[in-house]
Amino acid sequence: MAEKYQFPNGFEWGTASASYQIEGAWDADGKGECIWDRFSHTPGHIHDGTTGDRACDFYHRYEDDIRLAKKLGIKVYRFSISWPRIFPDGTGAVNEAGIAFYRKVLTCLHDNGIKAGVTMYHWDLPQKLQDRGGWANREIVGWFETYAKTLYERLGDLVDYWITLNEPYCTSIIGYWIGEHAPGYHDYSMALSAVHHLLLAHGAAVKAYRKTGLKADIGITLNMNISYPYNPDCPEDVAAAKRNQEHSNNLFGDPIFLGKYPEELFSYLKKRGVVLPDIQTGDMELISQKVDFFGLNTYFTDHVKADETAWPLGTASGKTGRPQTDMGWEVNPEGMYDLLKWIHSRYNPPKVIITENGAATNDWVNVEGKVDDPNRIDYLYRYLAQVHKAIQEGVPVQGYYVWCFCDNFEWAKGLSKRFGIVYVDYDTQKRTPKESAYWYAELIKNNGY
Ligand code: GCO
């Protein structure tokens, strides 16, 4: 591939991050406990036994990080707000120190000429709300709406993009069914009720936003993947791949953009004994509020086999022998193109922002003090070529944010997986831009590569 990839004028190059993964200062200045504090403090949950207590110490080092982002030419810096920093109990009294912290971060971004992309919920639910059922309790729709309105009112003058939720699939399915993420439950029907409440909370937040008069765009970030049948000649695999994709993609995209849940999937699940969500009058209208953009997180593709013994979905994943990143995720750049085309044809959103894409690789600082990460550069090169192709064919992608700015706490994998374009030494907190950061800076400068 010795091509030239030139991106449209005004294309927005960014990086992404999330509060629990970078901030540290887990109990500073009145912050309440979040479910990831509780989860990581409980032995056995995090593979390498680390926690986000300190992480990248962004809480104290945000100025340096933002200055470095500016040096690299980053146009949009995506980060999330920690709900329990704003409402230590989830509801009730506002913690002014939390508001002050995020106003400082936002001001610093603006002073450095960087746009702010703000995720309202990137998984760090106040523990006090989990104690009341968390996302499985329908009351959370109101709790989230109050939280969202508070953010609009107190921070809205400084925000360029609002993202209501990050990856409701992970919150619900991984948190309440697979149990690998906080709160660590294993109840599929509860997970589906969480799906419905997440979507309602998203809709309520968008609806409330439209009444504020604020002008910034608002959308949601969904993680999606294309599911390919493991054996395309096997009808059972073809059906299983379709079901798998409806579960990862349509379960969230259809209600938001088409105002309905995927029927075939729901009737399959019902037959398998799953309790479906309680959909009340007006719910689908609330969920399908018009959004300004579709935020897409994507990293890999799925290759799906039929497996009747796997409850409830009847699917299993198959490996294809393609290269893998340090997460064990298959590198399949064409999947990015197929997915962008699929989103465009099924949902036709006004704009797509790729709010996350990137690779974990096994990085370290070499004897010359550099971090050489050719595989990450290669990954970005190949995936961006596919983004470019989709744009050429009319998919309105207006921005791309690398996951992530600096190495950070990778959830159940702890500090052991490095996704950053900036290396973090967790003992000294020293930052070292990796070779990929310089590659990305050059790309931004040229708006192409
Ligand atoms: C997610 C989250 C990020 C992750 C990243 C790598 O997609 O899981 O949005 O917080 O760290 O995707 O797994």
mmCIF file of all heavy atoms in Angstrom, residues 244-281:
data_model
loop_
_atom_site.group_PDB
_atom_site.id
_atom_site.type_symbol
_atom_site.label_atom_id
_atom_site.label_comp_id
_atom_site.label_asym_id
_atom_site.label_seq_id
_atom_site.Cartn_x
_atom_site.Cartn_y
_atom_site.Cartn_z
ATOM 1 N N ASN A 244 -25.541 -12.867 16.094
ATOM 2 C CA ASN A 244 -24.468 -12.238 16.862
ATOM 3 C C ASN A 244 -24.373 -10.742 16.540
ATOM 4 O O ASN A 244 -24.236 -9.894 17.427
ATOM 5 C CB ASN A 244 -23.142 -12.928 16.527
ATOM 6 C CG ASN A 244 -22.070 -12.620 17.538
ATOM 7 O OD1 ASN A 244 -22.155 -13.047 18.683
ATOM 8 N ND2 ASN A 244 -21.073 -11.847 17.128
ATOM 9 N N GLN A 245 -24.491 -10.428 15.270
ATOM 10 C CA GLN A 245 -24.394 -9.026 14.863
ATOM 11 C C GLN A 245 -25.622 -8.230 15.320
ATOM 12 O O GLN A 245 -25.514 -7.076 15.710
ATOM 13 C CB GLN A 245 -24.205 -8.922 13.349
ATOM 14 C CG GLN A 245 -23.939 -7.499 12.898
ATOM 15 C CD GLN A 245 -23.429 -7.410 11.485
ATOM 16 O OE1 GLN A 245 -22.434 -8.035 11.132
ATOM 17 N NE2 GLN A 245 -24.123 -6.654 10.658
ATOM 18 N N GLU A 246 -26.778 -8.871 15.293
ATOM 19 C CA GLU A 246 -27.975 -8.173 15.796
ATOM 20 C C GLU A 246 -27.811 -7.875 17.287
ATOM 21 O O GLU A 246 -28.280 -6.860 17.786
ATOM 22 C CB GLU A 246 -29.231 -9.019 15.558
ATOM 23 C CG GLU A 246 -29.629 -9.013 14.090
ATOM 24 C CD GLU A 246 -30.937 -9.722 13.815
ATOM 25 O OE1 GLU A 246 -31.428 -10.434 14.707
ATOM 26 O OE2 GLU A 246 -31.459 -9.552 12.700
ATOM 27 N N HIS A 247 -27.139 -8.781 17.977
ATOM 28 C CA HIS A 247 -26.931 -8.612 19.411
ATOM 29 C C HIS A 247 -25.912 -7.522 19.708
ATOM 30 O O HIS A 247 -26.112 -6.709 20.613
ATOM 31 C CB HIS A 247 -26.468 -9.953 20.000
ATOM 32 C CG HIS A 247 -26.469 -10.002 21.476
ATOM 33 N ND1 HIS A 247 -25.327 -10.135 22.214
ATOM 34 C CD2 HIS A 247 -27.481 -9.945 22.368
ATOM 35 C CE1 HIS A 247 -25.631 -10.159 23.504
ATOM 36 N NE2 HIS A 247 -26.937 -10.047 23.625
ATOM 37 N N SER A 248 -24.833 -7.468 18.925
ATOM 38 C CA SER A 248 -23.818 -6.443 19.213
ATOM 39 C C SER A 248 -24.195 -5.090 18.602
ATOM 40 O O SER A 248 -23.886 -4.056 19.187
ATOM 41 C CB SER A 248 -22.435 -6.883 18.722
ATOM 42 O OG SER A 248 -22.443 -7.081 17.323
ATOM 43 N N ASN A 249 -24.866 -5.088 17.478
ATOM 44 C CA ASN A 249 -25.119 -3.827 16.761
ATOM 45 C C ASN A 249 -26.580 -3.372 16.823
ATOM 46 O O ASN A 249 -26.888 -2.293 17.328
ATOM 47 C CB ASN A 249 -24.742 -3.964 15.278
ATOM 48 C CG ASN A 249 -23.268 -4.257 15.055
ATOM 49 O OD1 ASN A 249 -22.516 -4.464 16.002
ATOM 50 N ND2 ASN A 249 -22.855 -4.274 13.805
ATOM 51 N N ASN A 250 -27.474 -4.210 16.275
ATOM 52 C CA ASN A 250 -28.870 -3.773 16.118
ATOM 53 C C ASN A 250 -29.584 -3.557 17.449
ATOM 54 O O ASN A 250 -30.487 -2.720 17.541
ATOM 55 C CB ASN A 250 -29.670 -4.793 15.306
ATOM 56 C CG ASN A 250 -29.035 -5.100 13.973
ATOM 57 O OD1 ASN A 250 -27.842 -5.389 13.902
ATOM 58 N ND2 ASN A 250 -29.821 -5.046 12.910
ATOM 59 N N LEU A 251 -29.195 -4.314 18.454
ATOM 60 C CA LEU A 251 -29.853 -4.196 19.760
ATOM 61 C C LEU A 251 -29.781 -2.751 20.275
ATOM 62 O O LEU A 251 -30.644 -2.294 21.006
ATOM 63 C CB LEU A 251 -29.178 -5.169 20.745
ATOM 64 C CG LEU A 251 -29.668 -5.213 22.177
ATOM 65 C CD1 LEU A 251 -31.163 -5.521 22.253
ATOM 66 C CD2 LEU A 251 -28.881 -6.281 22.965
ATOM 67 N N PHE A 252 -28.746 -2.024 19.867
ATOM 68 C CA PHE A 252 -28.560 -0.636 20.293
ATOM 69 C C PHE A 252 -28.877 0.339 19.165
ATOM 70 O O PHE A 252 -29.541 1.350 19.373
ATOM 71 C CB PHE A 252 -27.128 -0.453 20.811
ATOM 72 C CG PHE A 252 -26.853 -1.378 21.967
ATOM 73 C CD1 PHE A 252 -26.381 -2.673 21.746
ATOM 74 C CD2 PHE A 252 -27.151 -0.995 23.257
ATOM 75 C CE1 PHE A 252 -26.189 -3.550 22.804
ATOM 76 C CE2 PHE A 252 -26.960 -1.874 24.321
ATOM 77 C CZ PHE A 252 -26.475 -3.149 24.096
ATOM 78 N N GLY A 253 -28.392 0.030 17.961
ATOM 79 C CA GLY A 253 -28.604 0.949 16.840
ATOM 80 C C GLY A 253 -30.061 1.032 16.408
ATOM 81 O O GLY A 253 -30.573 2.123 16.116
ATOM 82 N N ASP A 254 -30.763 -0.099 16.366
ATOM 83 C CA ASP A 254 -32.151 -0.089 15.873
ATOM 84 C C ASP A 254 -33.079 0.762 16.747
ATOM 85 O O ASP A 254 -33.827 1.593 16.223
ATOM 86 C CB ASP A 254 -32.705 -1.517 15.738
ATOM 87 C CG ASP A 254 -32.142 -2.258 14.519
ATOM 88 O OD1 ASP A 254 -31.139 -1.783 13.940
ATOM 89 O OD2 ASP A 254 -32.684 -3.327 14.160
ATOM 90 N N PRO A 255 -33.073 0.574 18.063
ATOM 91 C CA PRO A 255 -33.960 1.411 18.878
ATOM 92 C C PRO A 255 -33.661 2.905 18.719
ATOM 93 O O PRO A 255 -34.581 3.720 18.609
ATOM 94 C CB PRO A 255 -33.687 0.964 20.316
ATOM 95 C CG PRO A 255 -32.971 -0.328 20.220
ATOM 96 C CD PRO A 255 -32.353 -0.424 18.864
ATOM 97 N N ILE A 256 -32.368 3.254 18.679
ATOM 98 C CA ILE A 256 -32.022 4.678 18.615
ATOM 99 C C ILE A 256 -32.352 5.274 17.246
ATOM 100 O O ILE A 256 -32.924 6.352 17.146
ATOM 101 C CB ILE A 256 -30.516 4.879 18.926
ATOM 102 C CG1 ILE A 256 -30.231 4.502 20.389
ATOM 103 C CG2 ILE A 256 -30.091 6.332 18.670
ATOM 104 C CD1 ILE A 256 -28.761 4.438 20.749
ATOM 105 N N PHE A 257 -31.994 4.552 16.186
ATOM 106 C CA PHE A 257 -32.149 5.148 14.850
ATOM 107 C C PHE A 257 -33.419 4.706 14.125
ATOM 108 O O PHE A 257 -33.874 5.391 13.212
ATOM 109 C CB PHE A 257 -30.913 4.853 13.987
ATOM 110 C CG PHE A 257 -29.696 5.594 14.481
ATOM 111 C CD1 PHE A 257 -28.808 4.995 15.361
ATOM 112 C CD2 PHE A 257 -29.473 6.913 14.099
ATOM 113 C CE1 PHE A 257 -27.694 5.691 15.839
ATOM 114 C CE2 PHE A 257 -28.369 7.614 14.577
ATOM 115 C CZ PHE A 257 -27.481 6.992 15.448
ATOM 116 N N LEU A 258 -33.993 3.559 14.511
ATOM 117 C CA LEU A 258 -35.198 3.079 13.812
ATOM 118 C C LEU A 258 -36.403 2.982 14.747
ATOM 119 O O LEU A 258 -37.505 2.633 14.324
ATOM 120 C CB LEU A 258 -34.923 1.708 13.166
ATOM 121 C CG LEU A 258 -33.668 1.593 12.282
ATOM 122 C CD1 LEU A 258 -33.483 0.165 11.779
ATOM 123 C CD2 LEU A 258 -33.726 2.574 11.108
ATOM 124 N N GLY A 259 -36.178 3.243 16.033
ATOM 125 C CA GLY A 259 -37.294 3.265 16.980
ATOM 126 C C GLY A 259 -37.890 1.905 17.304
ATOM 127 O O GLY A 259 -39.036 1.805 17.756
ATOM 128 N N LYS A 260 -37.135 0.825 17.075
ATOM 129 C CA LYS A 260 -37.664 -0.504 17.423
ATOM 130 C C LYS A 260 -36.524 -1.469 17.769
ATOM 131 O O LYS A 260 -35.388 -1.294 17.309
ATOM 132 C CB LYS A 260 -38.484 -1.068 16.263
ATOM 133 C CG LYS A 260 -37.686 -1.132 14.978
ATOM 134 C CD LYS A 260 -38.464 -1.764 13.847
ATOM 135 C CE LYS A 260 -37.460 -2.112 12.760
ATOM 136 N NZ LYS A 260 -37.846 -2.122 11.436
ATOM 137 N N TYR A 261 -36.846 -2.483 18.554
ATOM 138 C CA TYR A 261 -35.855 -3.509 18.860
ATOM 139 C C TYR A 261 -35.848 -4.560 17.745
ATOM 140 O O TYR A 261 -36.880 -4.767 17.088
ATOM 141 C CB TYR A 261 -36.185 -4.186 20.196
ATOM 142 C CG TYR A 261 -35.739 -3.380 21.394
ATOM 143 C CD1 TYR A 261 -36.672 -2.704 22.200
ATOM 144 C CD2 TYR A 261 -34.396 -3.286 21.737
ATOM 145 C CE1 TYR A 261 -36.263 -1.959 23.298
ATOM 146 C CE2 TYR A 261 -33.979 -2.541 22.827
ATOM 147 C CZ TYR A 261 -34.908 -1.884 23.603
ATOM 148 O OH TYR A 261 -34.502 -1.145 24.691
ATOM 149 N N PRO A 262 -34.706 -5.246 17.532
ATOM 150 C CA PRO A 262 -34.672 -6.293 16.499
ATOM 151 C C PRO A 262 -35.588 -7.472 16.861
ATOM 152 O O PRO A 262 -35.334 -8.192 17.826
ATOM 153 C CB PRO A 262 -33.196 -6.722 16.471
ATOM 154 C CG PRO A 262 -32.548 -6.131 17.667
ATOM 155 C CD PRO A 262 -33.401 -5.019 18.155
ATOM 156 N N GLU A 263 -36.656 -7.649 16.074
ATOM 157 C CA GLU A 263 -37.714 -8.616 16.428
ATOM 158 C C GLU A 263 -37.255 -10.064 16.415
ATOM 159 O O GLU A 263 -37.580 -10.834 17.317
ATOM 160 C CB GLU A 263 -38.873 -8.492 15.434
ATOM 161 C CG GLU A 263 -39.906 -7.473 15.850
ATOM 162 C CD GLU A 263 -40.796 -7.080 14.687
ATOM 163 O OE1 GLU A 263 -41.144 -7.971 13.865
ATOM 164 O OE2 GLU A 263 -41.131 -5.875 14.597
ATOM 165 N N GLU A 264 -36.511 -10.408 15.349
ATOM 166 C CA GLU A 264 -36.068 -11.805 15.235
ATOM 167 C C GLU A 264 -35.213 -12.198 16.425
ATOM 168 O O GLU A 264 -35.350 -13.295 16.986
ATOM 169 C CB GLU A 264 -35.219 -11.967 13.966
ATOM 170 C CG GLU A 264 -35.793 -12.916 12.945
ATOM 171 C CD GLU A 264 -34.881 -12.998 11.731
ATOM 172 O OE1 GLU A 264 -33.876 -13.733 11.790
ATOM 173 O OE2 GLU A 264 -35.173 -12.300 10.737
ATOM 174 N N LEU A 265 -34.321 -11.305 16.803
ATOM 175 C CA LEU A 265 -33.439 -11.574 17.939
ATOM 176 C C LEU A 265 -34.265 -11.750 19.211
ATOM 177 O O LEU A 265 -34.061 -12.690 19.982
ATOM 178 C CB LEU A 265 -32.441 -10.420 18.119
ATOM 179 C CG LEU A 265 -31.533 -10.524 19.345
ATOM 180 C CD1 LEU A 265 -30.503 -11.643 19.157
ATOM 181 C CD2 LEU A 265 -30.809 -9.200 19.612
ATOM 182 N N PHE A 266 -35.235 -10.846 19.409
ATOM 183 C CA PHE A 266 -36.047 -10.917 20.624
ATOM 184 C C PHE A 266 -36.866 -12.211 20.670
ATOM 185 O O PHE A 266 -37.024 -12.805 21.724
ATOM 186 C CB PHE A 266 -36.932 -9.673 20.752
ATOM 187 C CG PHE A 266 -36.264 -8.565 21.546
ATOM 188 C CD1 PHE A 266 -34.880 -8.514 21.646
ATOM 189 C CD2 PHE A 266 -37.010 -7.577 22.191
ATOM 190 C CE1 PHE A 266 -34.244 -7.506 22.374
ATOM 191 C CE2 PHE A 266 -36.395 -6.567 22.929
ATOM 192 C CZ PHE A 266 -35.019 -6.529 23.020
ATOM 193 N N SER A 267 -37.385 -12.646 19.508
ATOM 194 C CA SER A 267 -38.196 -13.872 19.583
ATOM 195 C C SER A 267 -37.294 -15.088 19.807
ATOM 196 O O SER A 267 -37.664 -16.016 20.518
ATOM 197 C CB SER A 267 -39.131 -14.024 18.380
ATOM 198 O OG SER A 267 -38.394 -14.203 17.219
ATOM 199 N N TYR A 268 -36.080 -15.057 19.278
ATOM 200 C CA TYR A 268 -35.113 -16.141 19.549
ATOM 201 C C TYR A 268 -34.803 -16.197 21.046
ATOM 202 O O TYR A 268 -34.844 -17.267 21.669
ATOM 203 C CB TYR A 268 -33.826 -15.899 18.743
ATOM 204 C CG TYR A 268 -32.770 -16.971 18.949
ATOM 205 C CD1 TYR A 268 -32.747 -18.118 18.154
ATOM 206 C CD2 TYR A 268 -31.806 -16.834 19.950
ATOM 207 C CE1 TYR A 268 -31.777 -19.105 18.354
ATOM 208 C CE2 TYR A 268 -30.838 -17.818 20.152
ATOM 209 C CZ TYR A 268 -30.834 -18.945 19.355
ATOM 210 O OH TYR A 268 -29.881 -19.918 19.553
ATOM 211 N N LEU A 269 -34.517 -15.042 21.620
ATOM 212 C CA LEU A 269 -34.153 -15.005 23.042
ATOM 213 C C LEU A 269 -35.319 -15.455 23.922
ATOM 214 O O LEU A 269 -35.137 -16.166 24.915
ATOM 215 C CB LEU A 269 -33.704 -13.591 23.438
ATOM 216 C CG LEU A 269 -32.377 -13.118 22.819
ATOM 217 C CD1 LEU A 269 -32.146 -11.635 23.110
ATOM 218 C CD2 LEU A 269 -31.197 -13.948 23.339
ATOM 219 N N LYS A 270 -36.518 -15.059 23.527
ATOM 220 C CA LYS A 270 -37.706 -15.426 24.300
ATOM 221 C C LYS A 270 -37.878 -16.944 24.325
ATOM 222 O O LYS A 270 -38.146 -17.542 25.368
ATOM 223 C CB LYS A 270 -38.933 -14.750 23.695
ATOM 224 C CG LYS A 270 -40.096 -14.705 24.642
ATOM 225 C CD LYS A 270 -41.201 -13.829 24.160
ATOM 226 C CE LYS A 270 -42.400 -14.043 25.076
ATOM 227 N NZ LYS A 270 -43.621 -13.586 24.446
ATOM 228 N N LYS A 271 -37.679 -17.545 23.151
ATOM 229 C CA LYS A 271 -37.772 -19.008 23.053
ATOM 230 C C LYS A 271 -36.747 -19.697 23.944
ATOM 231 O O LYS A 271 -36.962 -20.817 24.395
ATOM 232 C CB LYS A 271 -37.564 -19.456 21.590
ATOM 233 C CG LYS A 271 -38.841 -19.480 20.799
ATOM 234 C CD LYS A 271 -38.630 -20.211 19.470
ATOM 235 C CE LYS A 271 -38.872 -19.250 18.327
ATOM 236 N NZ LYS A 271 -37.987 -19.248 17.218
ATOM 237 N N ARG A 272 -35.642 -19.025 24.171
ATOM 238 C CA ARG A 272 -34.583 -19.604 25.001
ATOM 239 C C ARG A 272 -34.793 -19.276 26.487
ATOM 240 O O ARG A 272 -33.901 -19.489 27.311
ATOM 241 C CB ARG A 272 -33.215 -19.076 24.558
ATOM 242 C CG ARG A 272 -32.929 -19.270 23.066
ATOM 243 C CD ARG A 272 -32.239 -20.565 22.737
ATOM 244 N NE ARG A 272 -30.821 -20.512 23.053
ATOM 245 C CZ ARG A 272 -29.964 -21.519 22.806
ATOM 246 N NH1 ARG A 272 -30.403 -22.618 22.227
ATOM 247 N NH2 ARG A 272 -28.709 -21.410 23.133
ATOM 248 N N GLY A 273 -35.939 -18.685 26.817
ATOM 249 C CA GLY A 273 -36.278 -18.462 28.223
ATOM 250 C C GLY A 273 -35.840 -17.132 28.807
ATOM 251 O O GLY A 273 -35.931 -16.913 30.024
ATOM 252 N N VAL A 274 -35.382 -16.217 27.949
ATOM 253 C CA VAL A 274 -34.952 -14.899 28.445
ATOM 254 C C VAL A 274 -36.186 -14.037 28.747
ATOM 255 O O VAL A 274 -37.166 -14.079 28.002
ATOM 256 C CB VAL A 274 -34.067 -14.193 27.377
ATOM 257 C CG1 VAL A 274 -33.814 -12.740 27.739
ATOM 258 C CG2 VAL A 274 -32.766 -14.956 27.179
ATOM 259 N N VAL A 275 -36.142 -13.285 29.832
ATOM 260 C CA VAL A 275 -37.209 -12.320 30.120
ATOM 261 C C VAL A 275 -36.870 -11.036 29.364
ATOM 262 O O VAL A 275 -35.814 -10.436 29.589
ATOM 263 C CB VAL A 275 -37.308 -12.023 31.637
ATOM 264 C CG1 VAL A 275 -38.418 -11.017 31.908
ATOM 265 C CG2 VAL A 275 -37.506 -13.322 32.414
ATOM 266 N N LEU A 276 -37.753 -10.634 28.452
ATOM 267 C CA LEU A 276 -37.481 -9.443 27.636
ATOM 268 C C LEU A 276 -37.772 -8.175 28.437
ATOM 269 O O LEU A 276 -38.532 -8.205 29.410
ATOM 270 C CB LEU A 276 -38.331 -9.491 26.361
ATOM 271 C CG LEU A 276 -38.009 -10.659 25.418
ATOM 272 C CD1 LEU A 276 -38.972 -10.660 24.235
ATOM 273 C CD2 LEU A 276 -36.556 -10.605 24.919
ATOM 274 N N PRO A 277 -37.165 -7.042 28.039
ATOM 275 C CA PRO A 277 -37.378 -5.802 28.790
ATOM 276 C C PRO A 277 -38.855 -5.382 28.796
ATOM 277 O O PRO A 277 -39.597 -5.693 27.863
ATOM 278 C CB PRO A 277 -36.547 -4.771 28.033
ATOM 279 C CG PRO A 277 -35.671 -5.507 27.103
ATOM 280 C CD PRO A 277 -36.249 -6.871 26.902
ATOM 281 N N ASP A 278 -39.210 -4.665 29.840
ATOM 282 C CA ASP A 278 -40.564 -4.155 29.985
ATOM 283 C C ASP A 278 -40.643 -2.822 29.222
ATOM 284 O O ASP A 278 -40.182 -1.795 29.710
ATOM 285 C CB ASP A 278 -40.826 -3.960 31.490
ATOM 286 C CG ASP A 278 -42.133 -3.258 31.755
ATOM 287 O OD1 ASP A 278 -43.041 -3.333 30.893
ATOM 288 O OD2 ASP A 278 -42.252 -2.620 32.830
ATOM 289 N N ILE A 279 -41.237 -2.893 28.006
ATOM 290 C CA ILE A 279 -41.290 -1.686 27.172
ATOM 291 C C ILE A 279 -42.629 -0.990 27.396
ATOM 292 O O ILE A 279 -43.681 -1.540 27.087
ATOM 293 C CB ILE A 279 -41.099 -2.048 25.685
ATOM 294 C CG1 ILE A 279 -39.746 -2.769 25.512
ATOM 295 C CG2 ILE A 279 -41.165 -0.806 24.800
ATOM 296 C CD1 ILE A 279 -39.554 -3.445 24.170
ATOM 297 N N GLN A 280 -42.581 0.202 27.941
ATOM 298 C CA GLN A 280 -43.816 0.921 28.275
ATOM 299 C C GLN A 280 -44.165 1.940 27.188
ATOM 300 O O GLN A 280 -43.320 2.294 26.366
ATOM 301 C CB GLN A 280 -43.650 1.596 29.644
ATOM 302 C CG GLN A 280 -43.370 0.550 30.729
ATOM 303 C CD GLN A 280 -43.129 1.154 32.107
ATOM 304 O OE1 GLN A 280 -43.348 2.345 32.337
ATOM 305 N NE2 GLN A 280 -42.689 0.318 33.036
ATOM 306 N N THR A 281 -45.405 2.391 27.217
ATOM 307 C CA THR A 281 -45.871 3.365 26.221
ATOM 308 C C THR A 281 -44.933 4.573 26.206
ATOM 309 O O THR A 281 -44.616 5.118 27.264
ATOM 310 C CB THR A 281 -47.292 3.862 26.580
ATOM 311 O OG1 THR A 281 -48.046 2.721 26.962
ATOM 312 C CG2 THR A 281 -47.967 4.573 25.418
#
